[in-house]
Amino acid sequence: MEKTICAISTAPLKGAISIIRVSGKDAIKIVNSVFSGADLSKVKSHTIHYGYISHNNEKIDEVLVTVMKSPRTFTTEDTVEINTHGGIAPTNKVLEILLNNGCELAEPGEFTKRAFLNGRIDLIKAEAISDLINSETEKARKLAVNQIRGTVTKKIEDLRSSLISLMASIEVNIDYPEYDDAEEITKEVLLPSLKELNIKLVDLIKESENGKIINQGINVAIIGAPNVGKSSILNALIEEEKAIVTNIPGTTRDIVEGKISLNGIILNIIDTAGIRTTTDLVEQIGVEKSLKVSKEADLVIYVIDNTKENINEDIEQLKEIKDSKVLVFVNKDDLESKIKKETLKDYHLVTGNTVKEDGLKDLKNKIIELFNIDYFENTDYTFLSSAKHISLAKKAKNSIDNAINNLNEGILVDMVSIDLKESYDYLSEIIGEKYKDDLLDELFSKFCLGK
Amino acid sequence: MEKYEIIVVGGGHAGIEAAHAACIRGHKTLLVTSNLKNIANMPCNPSIGGTAKGIVVREIDALGGLMGKVADRSHFQIKMLNNSKGPAVRSLRAQVDKLKYPREMLKELKKLDNLTIKESMVKSLIVEDNKVEGVVLENNEKIYSDIVILTTGTYLKSKILIGSEIINEGADGKKPSVTLSDNLKELGFDLIRLKTGTPQRISKKSIDFTKLKEEKGDSTPWTFSYENKPLYNLESQESCFALYTNEKTHELIDDNLHLSAMFSGNVEGTGARYCPSIEDKIVRFKDKNRHQLFLEPESKELDSYYLQGFSTSMPRDIQEAMVRTLPGLENAEILKYAYAIEYDAINPYLLKASLETKLIENLFTAGQINGTSGYEEAAAQGIMAGINASLKLKNEKPFILKRNEAYIGVLIDDLITKGTTEPYRLLTSRAEFRLILRHDNADFRLRKYGFEYGLVSRSIYNKLLDKEKQLEELINILKEIKVNPKDKEILSKLKIKEINTSYSLYDLTKRPEITINDFIDLKLIKNEYSNEVIEAATFNIKYEGYIKKTYKEVEKLLKLEAKEIPEDIDYDKVKNLATEAREKLSLIRPRTIAGATRISGVNPPDIAVLAVYLKKEYGKNE
């Protein structure tokens, strides 16, 4: 890692100060060359210094500079952090000066990547730190902090050690077939243990999906026929909760219209085009996209007009999205009701209107109930928060499922151990550990073997 | 001046295979052994094979080695271990006659007309410019050669320990080799001190067999060698016997622990975890109130039984009392006392994958000198060292087996990438691809190499090609022939209730209750396939899912294997490696990224750093 990199480490436009972080072997030299104050090449590590960043004898900003020498830094490289005054202009100017004096602009996540490559942190920590940086609510921060401390690692390790203990028992039967000291691991012995492991994995995955919600929020799509009041609902929700940010591009697919925090959980509200049966080609494309968005959302709020007599088309659309979590909001209840509510009895139902803002609280309470958001308050946040880790945990669970099915189909235990090994490897991948002789160590510590 | 192409030092299991491979490949070879009676000696257990090891014997056979063929002629009991488990973990083990085996082996060696056997001890190596040029014998006679293969077993500075006694000799009372060990140290080798042990031999006449549980061999006449037809008479098989230690045994050992060489501080070497002495077992596993032992006959010509599981370094009088606490052995007469043996070995990370040492050119080592344990592991290295020595002489690329090709590949790769601190034994759990490394497919895997390297004749190789053809044909036929829902009679005979659509025999074979022999009985396919071919087809079909999974893993490995690390890499220039990783990589110098991943202390971040460096410096290995 030859390059010295720098980047603004605080979000633009927020706060009274901004921090620019510089990391690499020339970090101190470069900052020193543009700093007036103490000679940074001579100061002690982990000290803060007051002075100015100057350019062509012009004072650009009054700053505090923190000097941290290798290896006790985040990236393990020499690191300097410059606290500038907030605001785009001075911060950008300082950054520009650094770039002109030998720094290169860091790529997104490059500090963390260096910390990982330099052996400072393991993979799961690296990913947790990126979550920490991106965490927008207190709960997400707590979860990320816990991951760094290794509670997730501990949970995964417990699962791994249960698995390896089973595997070691199977191996002993194979490598020492004539020793009757070791318990014969039969299907009957193995199945209950595997089922227990499976339950633990299912719990972890379930909790982790909640973890994902804590971190990334709940994606909510508001859909319905044109003019049923989707935008009013959106605006009312944002209005009341004082939207954190608006008009932030979400994924590449959709536009997140607004984000609100609900008991500490972020709702990413996604706008969609109104849907109805249409022959207009352009509108048709919009409708299809709305349906696609709603299928991918964590929650669909389907808005129906209370004054409409015939809601057959809505019922058809609701059938289209039957696999999603759906909440039906019957809008305009301040007007005369014409719809037959019993046709909607299979759905979570909330009625209200945006004129008097009735029912919005019910709507929010319903969301809290549907996602168990209150439960998040009381848990210890020890789960996997990245989609990649959750998918690995799911693969680990699938391997256990396979093992159980294969055993039930009469496949022999030593074959099934391949499924167990696979599961073990997926778990190991989550905590970034592989290539170890754990199995043999387990084998010889547990059993008395030999000639 | 006498000059050979290849000198093999040591006539144990490694030395024999090395010399045999070298001679068959046409090299004038000298085998130096301290004693002709030492050829193919079995100083410890009177058996060949066992889990994983039995598969290795078949691999040696497929490559054209001797061990399997000679064992087939010399045993009096053979068993397929794990027969009740899946086919991937089955393995043969035979009780081998410890007098007949060396005799038969010597006969084989005498057939080699370019082999000279000399009784002497090698004192040191002749080395010029880090290149070996021959050996110096104990009488100071110098013999020159292009290549030297050291297969000295446990004889480097060996010490026998019984109680407080320390005897400077090798196994079975043979002379140890002291100066050679010092010589290797001077040449820069990292020597490690290892320990192993052997139990008592008991006189048959003094055993009360009525108190013991008989363990018979299989009634199926198996052979190790793919070439041999079963040649033994089932009637003349000998049994082994199982017995257990008891509280009295444990109490006696506990009371006298201080007298054991193991606990008195006399033992410096590291013992293997899988080969603990009985006192070790009792100390480490206090909650076990009994340990299983076996009595195994040593030879039809001898009166002695090997007491497996009772290895110890207690003084003789305590041993006597210990043995007599065992049921059936109340009046036992000990013919030979148990002892611990310590010896020097080379830490095997100093070897290339060809088994040539990295320090001295043209010097190869094989067997226990490389830190392994076991006759089979030794023989496997022997044949590989013999072939590679010859390839080196001919300036050809070395013969390296990969981890997905053979247990032999696993063995050598483990040794050179991990080194060892205890005597290394093969276990099925060391082979991550054991599903495809089976006893029944060693010929499919390795015959081609045996033929390519000249150890397997054309006619024997043709047999394998025929077998492959038969297998392919059988699989195709099974795919072609379909059973329709209308074929009620066939279905009822196969005990299948009902099918909605037609199924090929191939698909039906996947059902647990159906075998290919069922189809032969129903005359759906001709009865013209050998049992071996049917067995192989059955396996390939029934476990197709697992086999595919394994090959996927193999692919991952091969991808990493393809990423070679340049031999001249300077790890000091690779920034950001962890210190331990840098040290280990500099020392072991793995050939590929795959090898690097297996070194303990080299962690995934180090691999990432290394891969980035290689990509930057050498423009590949992304």
Side-chain angles (χ1 to χ4, degrees):
Chain A
M1 261 144 283
E2 302 289 331
K3 292 190 299 178
T4 295
I5 51 170
C6 67
I8 301 172
S9 299
T10 42
L13 295 173
K14 278 188 194 172
I17 57 159
S18 295
I19 298 173
I20 296 173
R21 184 191 260 170
V22 187
S23 174
K25 68 176 166 49
D26 295 327
I28 297 171
K29 198 175 101 191
I30 293 171
V31 177
N32 203 24
S33 71
V34 298
F35 178 74
S36 353
D39 181 353
L40 299 179
S41 66
K42 291 186 176 139
V43 303
K44 280 189 186 158
S45 184
H46 293 76
T47 53
I48 297 178
H49 306 276
Y50 169 81
Y52 294 91
I53 298 291
S54 311
H55 181 58
N56 294 338
N57 293 325
E58 182 197 347
K59 284 178 184 170
I60 302 297
D61 197 9
E62 186 184 17
V63 295
L64 282 174
V65 172
T66 312
V67 176
M68 291 167 284
K69 291 183 187 164
S70 173
R72 281 180 49 233
T73 70
F74 177 61
T75 56
T76 78
E77 302 166 337
D78 282 348
T79 301
V80 180
E81 288 181 359
I82 307 171
N83 294 258
T84 68
H85 287 96
I88 291 181
T91 312
N92 275 358
K93 187 70 192 165
V94 172
L95 187 69
E96 193 188 316
I97 291 167
L98 289 170
L99 293 176
N100 287 335
N101 281 278
C103 281
E104 290 189 33
L105 191 62
E107 291 162 25
E110 197 173 355
F111 291 104
T112 309
K113 187 170 141 201
R114 286 187 175 202
F116 167 67
L117 287 180
N118 293 343
R120 169 77 165 69
I121 52 173
D122 65 23
L123 261 182
I124 200 162
K125 279 185 195 151
E127 282 164 34
I129 286 167
S130 94
D131 287 344
L132 179 63
I133 293 163
N134 294 323
S135 69
E136 292 183 56
T137 64
E138 178 61 17
K139 272 175 199 163
R141 196 193 60 74
K142 250 193 195 170
L143 172 59
V145 167
N146 255 346
Q147 286 211 342
I148 297 168
R149 287 205 199 111
T151 40
V152 179
T153 307
K154 170 83 174 38
K155 210 162 200 171
I156 296 289
E157 267 169 4
D158 286 349
L159 286 167
R160 276 169 93 226
S161 82
S162 316
L163 255 182
I164 206 157
S165 144
L166 287 174
M167 283 153 66
S169 300
I170 295 172
E171 296 304 316
V172 156
N173 291 160
I174 294 169
D175 273 322
Y176 296 90
E178 287 171 323
Y179 272 80
D180 57 5
D181 292 5
E183 181 191 15
E184 174 85 28
I185 303 295
T186 57
K187 173 183 159 189
E188 289 68 29
V189 177
L190 201 51
L191 272 178
S193 309
L194 290 182
K195 282 178 184 156
E196 199 181 305
L197 260 175
N198 218 1
I199 291 170
K200 283 188 188 160
L201 268 168
V202 169
D203 283 350
L204 179 70
I205 292 165
K206 215 166 84 194
E207 289 188 7
S208 300
E209 284 181 332
N210 289 340
K212 198 181 123 227
I213 285 173
I214 290 176
N215 243 305
Q216 293 160 14
I218 300 169
N219 292 332
V220 184
I222 303 183
I223 70 169
N227 300 321
V228 292
K230 297 190 298 294
S231 304
S232 318
I233 293 169
L234 172 72
N235 289 335
L237 282 172
I238 289 172
E239 187 69 17
E240 191 178 297
E241 296 297 332
K242 296 190 182 56
I244 299 169
V245 186
T246 53
N247 286 325
I248 287 179
T251 64
T252 49
R253 294 186 305 272
D254 347 289
I255 300 296
V256 175
E257 273 299 310
K259 290 191 177 197
I260 64 169
S261 167
L262 194 60
N263 284 13
I265 300 296
I266 290 180
L267 301 189
N268 305 303
I269 305 178
I270 300 157
D271 184 37
T272 67
I275 49 173
R276 63 175 163 186
T277 319
T278 174
T279 47
D280 180 280
L281 190 64
V282 176
E283 201 180 342
Q284 183 66 37
I285 292 169
V287 169
E288 272 169 21
K289 182 157 187 279
S290 294
L291 284 174
K292 189 166 174 281
V293 166
S294 50
K295 277 176 190 165
E296 285 165 6
D298 301 310
L299 174 70
V300 175
I301 300 180
Y302 193 96
V303 186
I304 295 183
D305 187 341
N306 182 44
T307 63
K308 213 153 88 180
E309 224 166 310
N310 183 349
I311 56 165
N312 288 346
E313 208 171 292
D314 293 301
I315 300 285
E316 282 309 305
Q317 299 294 357
L318 278 168
K319 276 183 194 156
E320 280 278 318
I321 52 168
K322 62 178 179 344
D323 294 330
S324 312
K325 204 173 251 188
V326 178
L327 199 165
V328 176
F329 187 79
V330 181
N331 197 15
K332 306 187 186 173
D333 77 339
D334 50 330
L335 303 175
E336 188 194 347
S337 173
K338 288 183 181 165
I339 68 163
K340 298 179 190 82
K341 280 198 189 154
E342 61 275 12
T343 50
L344 296 168
K345 64 175 171 9
D346 293 339
Y347 296 92
H348 300 290
L349 213 57
V350 177
T351 42
N353 64 75
T354 47
V355 180
K356 298 179 194 161
E357 301 204 343
D358 284 339
L360 285 180
K361 195 155 182 80
D362 294 343
L363 182 65
K364 282 184 275 180
N365 284 340
K366 197 78 193 175
I367 295 172
I368 288 169
E369 183 194 318
L370 282 176
F371 286 89
N372 256 324
I373 288 173
D374 277 345
Y375 156 87
F376 295 160
E377 287 291 353
N378 308 317
T379 46
D380 57 357
Y381 304 122
T382 53
F383 22 83
L384 308 163
S385 68
S386 91
K388 186 185 133 208
H389 290 164
I390 295 176
S391 118
L392 284 167
K394 283 184 177 166
K395 284 183 183 168
K397 181 198 162 282
N398 277 346
S399 304
I400 302 278
D401 287 341
N402 287 341
I404 293 173
N405 293 339
N406 287 332
L407 279 174
N408 283 329
E409 272 183 25
I411 302 268
L412 297 159
V413 167
D414 59 272
M415 289 284 179
V416 168
S417 73
I418 292 173
D419 294 316
L420 304 186
K421 170 81 180 3
E422 195 178 68
S423 182
Y424 183 81
D425 284 347
Y426 284 130
L427 292 176
S428 305
E429 210 177 321
I430 296 177
I431 53 173
E433 263 181 49
K434 245 187 163 177
Y435 328 121
K436 272 199 167 174
D437 283 332
D438 326 307
L439 187 62
L440 290 180
D441 290 339
E442 175 81 12
L443 202 90
F444 291 120
S445 66
K446 222 170 126 183
F447 300 99
C448 178
L449 306 160
K451 59 184 181 181
Chain B
M1 187 176 68
E2 250 187 315
K3 163 117 199 204
Y4 292 87
E5 287 183 273
I6 296 175
I7 296 177
V8 179
V9 183
H13 305 281
I16 294 163
E17 296 288 354
H20 174 255
C23 289
I24 297 279
R25 284 180 55 83
H27 301 289
K28 187 182 172 199
T29 304
L30 173 72
L31 177 67
V32 185
T33 171
S34 59
N35 189 329
L36 259 181
K37 284 183 193 148
N38 242 0
I39 295 277
N41 187 26
M42 303 170 72
C44 200
N45 48 320
S47 64
I48 283 179
T51 48
K53 291 161 171 267
I55 301 174
V56 170
V57 178
R58 285 207 152 171
E59 289 178 354
I60 294 167
D61 185 65
L63 290 173
L66 291 173
M67 182 172 248
K69 283 189 249 329
V70 175
D72 281 339
R73 297 209 290 268
S74 331
H75 68 75
F76 41 72
Q77 188 202 95
I78 191 161
K79 241 184 182 176
M80 185 64 81
L81 301 173
N82 285 332
N83 220 1
S84 63
K85 299 194 179 79
V89 296
R90 285 175 204 158
S91 195
L92 284 170
R93 196 197 55 210
Q95 296 302 138
V96 172
D97 191 313
K98 75 174 281 176
L99 296 184
K100 192 171 179 193
Y101 184 80
R103 274 204 307 267
E104 292 293 324
M105 196 54 98
L106 200 54
K107 274 189 209 161
E108 289 295 322
L109 294 183
K110 287 195 169 149
K111 289 183 196 162
L112 304 164
D113 46 22
N114 47 0
L115 179 69
T116 310
I117 302 178
K118 194 175 182 86
E119 258 190 349
S120 182
M121 290 278 284
V122 167
K123 201 166 100 176
S124 60
L125 299 170
I126 306 169
V127 175
E128 286 293 333
D129 296 333
N130 291 325
K131 205 168 174 177
V132 77
E133 294 189 343
V135 299
V136 184
L137 301 183
E138 56 188 340
N139 60 4
N140 289 326
E141 184 189 346
K142 287 183 177 169
I143 308 180
Y144 290 88
S145 67
D146 299 311
I147 301 257
V148 173
I149 306 175
L150 288 181
T151 60
T152 51
T154 59
Y155 288 88
L156 289 185
K157 275 204 175 158
S158 46
K159 259 189 211 169
I160 296 231
L161 305 147
I162 304 178
S164 58
E165 275 178 72
I166 302 175
I167 308 156
N168 287 318
E169 63 181 31
D172 281 349
K174 307 283 162 31
K175 281 185 289 186
S177 170
V178 178
T179 51
L180 188 55
S181 182
D182 291 338
N183 185 214
L184 287 171
K185 202 168 190 172
E186 277 162 29
L187 291 170
F189 285 92
D190 174 10
L191 297 183
I192 48 177
R193 193 95 179 128
L194 299 177
K195 179 227 132 192
T196 182
T198 195
Q200 301 79 0
R201 312 303 198 270
I202 312 287
S203 165
K204 182 180 182 179
K205 292 192 291 272
S206 67
I207 302 172
D208 180 358
F209 288 98
T210 62
K211 292 185 178 169
L212 308 175
K213 191 175 143 236
E214 188 173 2
E215 303 267 337
K216 287 189 168 174
D218 288 351
S219 49
T220 316
W222 308 101
T223 61
F224 281 114
S225 175
Y226 291 102
E227 293 167 45
N228 286 350
K229 290 267 165 289
L231 353 103
Y232 62 93
N233 177 0
L234 281 174
E235 296 302 305
S236 67
Q237 294 241 306
E238 298 271 343
S239 295
C240 295
F241 298 87
L243 62 160
Y244 293 91
T245 59
N246 53 46
E247 268 169 41
K248 268 197 237 156
T249 328
H250 293 205
E251 237 179 73
L252 187 67
I253 291 171
D254 245 347
D255 289 347
N256 292 287
L257 263 187
H258 58 285
L259 297 175
S260 159
M262 274 301 295
F263 292 87
S264 65
N266 275 348
V267 171
E268 311 157 32
T270 313
R273 288 173 296 180
Y274 49 81
C275 184
S277 61
I278 187 71
E279 50 265 41
D280 234 3
K281 293 184 201 178
I282 284 163
V283 169
R284 280 181 50 210
F285 297 92
K286 280 199 167 27
D287 53 329
K288 286 199 94 85
N289 49 21
R290 63 175 207 179
H291 292 278
Q292 194 177 23
L293 309 172
F294 291 95
L295 276 165
E296 304 174 13
E298 289 206 297
S299 166
K300 287 213 179 240
E301 300 156 43
L302 292 172
D303 170 48
S304 63
Y305 273 71
Y306 173 92
L307 182 51
Q308 197 212 105
F310 217 56
S311 134
T312 176
S313 54
M314 286 283 193
R316 292 180 176 81
D317 53 334
I318 308 289
Q319 285 194 32
E320 211 143 287
M322 277 159 59
V323 166
R324 288 183 177 172
T325 62
L326 302 172
L329 297 184
E330 293 86 352
N331 300 307
E333 186 199 327
I334 299 180
L335 297 173
K336 206 175 143 197
Y337 290 89
Y339 59 80
I341 180 166
E342 268 193 353
Y343 54 97
D344 283 350
I346 289 172
N347 205 337
Y349 68 79
L350 294 167
L351 302 173
K352 297 179 183 176
S354 63
L355 296 179
E356 186 182 16
T357 66
K358 287 177 187 168
L359 290 172
I360 308 291
E361 201 184 341
N362 292 340
L363 178 66
F364 289 71
T365 56
Q368 271 176 302
I369 188 173
N370 289 344
T372 60
S373 136
Y375 312 143
E376 304 79 1
E377 286 88 342
Q381 293 169 68
I383 188 169
M384 295 303 284
I387 293 171
N388 278 318
S390 160
L391 291 171
K392 179 84 202 267
L393 270 177
K394 295 182 176 174
N395 254 326
E396 286 173 35
K397 256 182 69 186
F399 171 38
I400 296 166
L401 285 168
K402 296 197 185 78
R403 297 181 75 88
N404 59 307
E405 291 183 299
Y407 271 92
I408 300 176
V410 173
L411 164 74
I412 294 175
D413 185 70
D414 275 353
L415 290 177
I416 65 168
T417 56
K418 295 178 182 163
T420 190
T421 49
E422 64 177 343
Y424 177 102
R425 192 212 133 141
L426 265 175
L427 298 159
T428 64
S429 22
R430 296 195 196 266
E432 62 275 50
F433 308 122
R434 69 178 177 218
L435 191 68
I436 53 174
L437 305 183
R438 302 185 310 273
H439 81 95
D440 62 275
N441 73 353
D443 54 345
F444 286 108
R445 292 184 275 127
L446 303 176
R447 265 290 190 246
K448 53 180 186 276
Y449 296 124
F451 178 64
E452 186 185 335
Y453 293 110
L455 302 188
V456 167
S457 69
R458 167 56 83 177
S459 68
I460 286 171
Y461 182 54
N462 281 344
K463 274 191 204 159
L464 185 258
L465 294 180
D466 282 347
K467 199 168 148 187
E468 278 179 343
K469 225 164 88 192
Q470 271 210 334
L471 178 62
E472 202 189 319
E473 192 187 295
L474 176 58
I475 297 260
N476 285 337
I477 286 177
L478 289 169
K479 281 184 176 165
E480 272 163 29
I481 300 180
K482 303 241 158 55
V483 177
N484 294 309
K486 292 178 297 185
D487 302 329
K488 298 264 188 254
E489 201 189 324
I490 292 172
L491 287 171
S492 89
K493 280 189 177 148
L494 290 171
K495 293 186 182 113
I496 297 173
K497 276 187 197 140
E498 208 181 14
I499 49 175
N500 311 323
T501 162
S502 70
Y503 279 96
S504 67
L505 297 185
Y506 186 94
D507 289 331
L508 291 178
T509 307
K510 290 191 172 167
R511 302 188 175 207
E513 68 281 4
I514 289 179
T515 66
I516 293 177
N517 281 322
D518 292 339
F519 305 141
I520 294 173
D521 292 346
L522 288 169
K523 303 217 158 50
L524 289 170
I525 51 177
K526 285 184 196 152
N527 186 12
E528 58 184 21
Y529 301 98
S530 69
N531 281 339
E532 286 173 349
V533 167
I534 291 174
E535 208 184 300
T538 307
F539 186 86
N540 290 345
I541 298 169
K542 283 204 191 291
Y543 300 107
E544 199 183 2
Y546 282 114
I547 293 174
K548 277 192 182 151
K549 233 178 228 183
T550 303
Y551 277 111
K552 241 189 186 163
E553 291 295 312
V554 168
E555 237 171 74
K556 278 191 214 161
L557 170 82
L558 294 183
K559 244 186 224 160
L560 292 178
E561 288 283 1
K563 296 183 180 180
E564 288 182 13
I565 301 175
E567 267 189 45
D568 61 352
I569 188 171
D570 180 355
Y571 285 102
D572 285 336
K573 289 198 178 139
V574 187
K575 294 233 165 66
N576 305 307
L577 279 176
T579 313
E580 190 189 357
R582 187 189 309 281
E583 281 170 6
K584 290 269 180 73
L585 287 167
S586 309
L587 203 63
I588 294 172
R589 312 198 67 80
R591 282 179 307 117
T592 64
I593 290 276
T597 62
R598 289 190 289 270
I599 298 171
S600 71
V602 177
N603 294 314
D606 302 313
I607 298 295
V609 165
L610 181 59
V612 168
Y613 177 83
L614 289 179
K615 190 182 170 190
K616 217 169 79 187
E617 290 299 308
Y618 299 89
K620 48 179 183 178
N621 293 304
E622 73 279 5

